[in-house]
Amino acid sequence: MAFLGRFGKKKTSKNKFASFDSDNSSGEFSEATHKGDVDIHQTSRTGRHNGDGQVQENGIKKHRTALPAPMFTRSDFSVWSILKKCIGLELSKITMPIAFNEPLSFLQRITEYMEHTYLINKAYSHSNPLERMQAVAAFAVSAVASQWERTGKPFNPLLGETYELVREDLGFRFISEQVSHHPPVSAFYSEGLNQDFVFHGSIYPKLKFWGKSVEAEPRGTITLELLKHNEAYTWTNPTCCVHNVIIGKLWIEQYGTVEIVNHSTGDKCILNFKPCGLFGKELHRIEGYVQDKNKKKLSVIYGKWTECLWCIDPSTYESSKKNERRGGSDQKKPKPSEDAENDEVDDMPEVQETVQVIPGSKLLWRISSRPSNSSQMYNFTSFAVTLNELEKGMEEILAPTDCRLRPDIRHMENGEIDLASKEKERLEEKQRAARKERAKGEIEWRTRWFYHGTNPYTGTPDWLYSGGYFDRNFFDCPDIY
């Protein structure tokens, strides 16, 4: 397969160590608007193809641009009937009707970090550590941008469930595993195909219902290693909150402080995802700065996680703020012709071009437009649309635990809601029965591709990749479907 065939026997990187349960109608990925940024990893292979999908002239495989069936309406379902007894409780053990799901597993949703791999490539290409930190900060923000208007809940991964993705065109391969069920923990590992970076972590958000909103408190460390520079960056995601779950239009807010640490230089980037506030003035806003190990501010970063991120010299930023307080602001809304060279303007409803740009600012990242039919596809990005794509012959290569083979998600994607609901119930019952059998025999669950250890940079508990997945020895994988 174009995803998998070339890498079936490739060895893993020799690095030092190996749920939130919950863009573009032409099918171009978000990186298409950043052509200058992806040249480092853009494949030069031509005409190679192992699957049945179409191949472009440059040899890169075309991926699907739409789901098999449109999203169905949720208007016939009452969220309140499910959640009214759950106020203040942790939601990971609450069974929700399939109507509130989107046709992706949380493991696939994690993979959406890699939609903006070009930002890792940009960080890798910079010789200046400040510019590398700025690019890493943009990558961390871009990872939550795909959640904008994504109010559907991903499927809870089954214990032992996995997901892999190999993208030659974007320059990475990725593997994840559900390593724990209670509490739910998802571990992931990704590496650059040119052995330029390693990206890994474990995520176990705490979900709570507060009467009008559902809040996902982030837990787990995310680590990015830039191998040429011998640098490691770590951070934790902001808190995600879905508002108006009972009545009104659903909307998503991210808030909290994200601290990105460069463990090699001591530099830090501190990003404040601001809460909405009483009149919505701070909605989606981000403000922060990069400081060196002596706490000297090197750069100010600002923008919105739903739109774009800019950076500017601290002294220029402070001068602009003083001028603004005096009522003489020179800030202006960016126009299409002056945003940034070769950057396209995105068709973003309601929030397009709302960031006031300070003269002299440098654009770090801008969200890409979604497919024109995104609202009929669970508000997926072009990248997300491809994640559950199952090509002919992939079953012979994938691990039998891969999300693409999970029947309830497949039925939902195909618009077969009743079948999806029945399969979801069957899989959950099968998982409960397997747990009871292990308890009877006092058998402890063993993870397959990750082990519980300590993050070597933060010293905190983490799930680390054991290696060997891409050798494709799947004989001892559990039967979970």
Side-chain angles (χ1 to χ4, degrees):
M1 307 312 301
F3 277 139
L4 310 170
R6 177 175 172 79
F7 302 99
K9 297 297 181 183
K10 185 174 178 179
K11 294 182 180 179
T12 55
S13 171
K14 295 181 179 180
N15 185 30
K16 68 184 73 174
F17 59 89
S19 50
F20 189 89
D21 176 48
S22 348
D23 294 277
N24 177 329
S25 59
S26 67
E28 295 176 349
F29 297 100
S30 60
E31 288 75 3
T33 58
H34 304 271
K35 293 181 178 64
D37 297 330
V38 297
D39 289 344
I40 299 169
H41 290 293
Q42 190 69 23
T43 178
S44 60
R45 306 174 187 87
T46 58
R48 299 199 54 153
H49 183 235
N50 297 326
D52 294 337
Q54 292 179 309
V55 178
Q56 298 171 187
E57 289 182 1
N58 61 4
I60 297 174
K61 182 189 172 299
K62 288 184 178 179
H63 298 278
R64 70 183 186 183
T65 59
L67 298 179
M71 175 182 172
F72 58 93
T73 179
R74 296 190 177 108
S75 59
D76 296 333
F77 299 91
S78 170
V79 182
W80 178 245
S81 64
I82 304 296
L83 296 181
K84 61 185 177 181
K85 298 180 180 179
C86 305
I87 296 176
L89 299 180
E90 206 279 315
L91 295 183
S92 63
K93 298 182 180 181
I94 305 298
T95 300
M96 299 289 287
I98 203 169
F100 304 118
N101 285 41
E102 62 178 22
L104 289 176
S105 169
F106 182 58
L107 296 181
Q108 292 166 310
R109 186 120 174 205
I110 291 174
T111 313
E112 293 183 54
Y113 256 116
M114 307 309 296
E115 179 171 1
H116 306 277
T117 307
Y118 76 91
L119 291 168
I120 300 180
N121 301 337
K122 180 182 284 189
Y124 186 83
S125 69
H126 286 312
S127 58
N128 185 305
L130 173 59
E131 291 181 305
R132 290 198 294 273
M133 175 63 89
Q134 290 170 337
V136 171
F139 176 70
V141 172
S142 74
V144 302
S146 66
Q147 296 182 31
W148 179 54
E149 294 195 328
R150 292 275 292 281
T151 54
K153 180 181 73 67
F155 281 71
N156 285 336
L158 302 169
L159 185 61
E161 186 173 311
T162 62
Y163 181 70
E164 69 162 284
L165 185 63
V166 179
R167 289 292 297 266
E168 293 190 47
D169 54 336
L170 304 183
F172 72 86
R173 63 182 186 179
F174 180 99
I175 171 64
S176 57
E177 178 183 5
Q178 190 69 7
V179 293
S180 174
H181 186 60
H182 290 307
V185 182
S186 306
F188 68 90
Y189 173 90
S190 181
E191 61 186 11
L193 297 181
N194 291 343
Q195 298 186 346
D196 44 3
F197 72 85
V198 172
F199 177 58
H200 57 93
S202 52
I203 299 177
Y204 39 105
K206 192 95 168 176
L207 275 67
K208 284 190 176 182
F209 173 56
W210 295 113
K212 293 182 179 180
S213 61
V214 173
E215 183 181 77
E217 177 192 344
R219 300 192 179 188
T221 302
I222 295 169
T223 303
L224 173 65
E225 300 178 55
L226 302 179
L227 303 183
K228 180 178 75 171
H229 301 288
N230 195 30
E231 288 182 340
Y233 302 80
T234 62
W235 67 92
T236 300
N237 282 332
T239 295
C240 178
C241 187
V242 181
H243 293 272
N244 294 341
V245 295
I246 304 304
I247 191 171
K249 180 178 173 57
L250 291 170
W251 61 281
I252 290 178
E253 182 180 18
Q254 306 274 354
Y255 49 79
T257 300
V258 173
E259 184 175 281
I260 305 170
V261 180
N262 182 333
H263 292 269
S264 300
T265 65
D267 294 349
K268 290 183 180 181
C269 179
I270 300 171
L271 298 174
N272 181 17
F273 286 68
K274 297 198 171 187
C276 176
L278 187 59
F279 300 106
K281 182 180 179 182
E282 306 292 332
L283 182 62
H284 306 320
R285 282 188 61 196
I286 298 175
E287 282 189 355
Y289 53 90
V290 179
Q291 66 179 34
D292 64 17
K293 61 182 179 181
N294 298 316
K295 297 186 177 182
K296 177 185 176 182
K297 285 188 180 180
L298 306 176
S299 174
V300 171
I301 294 177
Y302 67 97
K304 290 189 176 184
W305 65 268
T306 55
E307 295 183 48
C308 54
L309 205 63
W310 301 78
C311 67
I312 193 169
D313 177 78
S315 60
T316 306
Y317 180 81
E318 290 302 325
S319 297
S320 176
K321 287 298 181 183
K322 287 179 181 178
N323 187 42
E324 181 182 357
R325 286 191 290 269
R326 290 195 299 263
S329 175
D330 292 329
Q331 295 181 26
K332 56 185 177 179
K333 291 187 178 181
K335 296 179 180 179
S337 61
E338 60 190 23
D339 269 347
E341 187 177 357
N342 296 326
D343 277 309
E344 297 179 3
V345 177
D346 302 311
D347 184 20
M348 304 304 295
E350 298 182 354
V351 297
Q352 182 182 6
E353 308 293 8
T354 66
V355 174
Q356 298 291 306
V357 180
I358 301 171
S361 297
K362 173 186 173 183
L363 180 66
L364 296 176
W365 161 82
R366 175 182 286 125
I367 195 170
S368 295
S369 58
R370 296 185 179 185
S372 58
N373 56 347
S374 179
S375 61
Q376 284 79 51
M377 297 190 300
Y378 305 88
N379 290 310
F380 282 1
T381 65
S382 292
F383 184 82
V385 166
T386 69
L387 292 177
N388 204 44
E389 188 174 16
L390 184 63
E391 301 174 12
K392 183 179 178 181
M394 286 182 74
E395 297 95 325
E396 301 170 6
I397 300 173
L398 293 169
T401 51
D402 194 277
C403 302
R404 295 180 188 87
L405 307 178
R406 183 169 165 171
D408 52 354
I409 297 178
R410 183 63 55 191
H411 282 308
M412 185 178 191
E413 179 183 274
N414 291 332
E416 301 161 341
I417 304 305
D418 290 340
L419 287 174
S421 183
K422 290 178 182 178
E423 280 296 303
K424 180 173 178 285
E425 292 177 10
R426 181 185 67 82
L427 293 176
E428 289 170 350
E429 182 54 42
K430 183 173 182 175
Q431 183 172 237
R432 284 190 288 269
R435 187 166 63 246
K436 288 178 182 177
E437 283 299 312
R438 290 196 301 273
K440 259 189 220 178
E442 297 183 347
I443 300 171
E444 187 176 348
W445 174 264
R446 296 183 62 185
T447 55
R448 183 66 178 82
W449 309 110
F450 292 81
Y451 67 94
H452 195 255
T454 301
N455 187 298
Y457 304 108
T458 65
T460 56
D462 205 352
W463 286 86
L464 308 177
Y465 181 51
S466 303
Y469 176 90
F470 291 98
D471 293 335
R472 304 205 176 278
N473 296 321
F474 300 142
F475 65 93
D476 59 347
C477 287
D479 174 17
I480 60 175
Y481 300 145

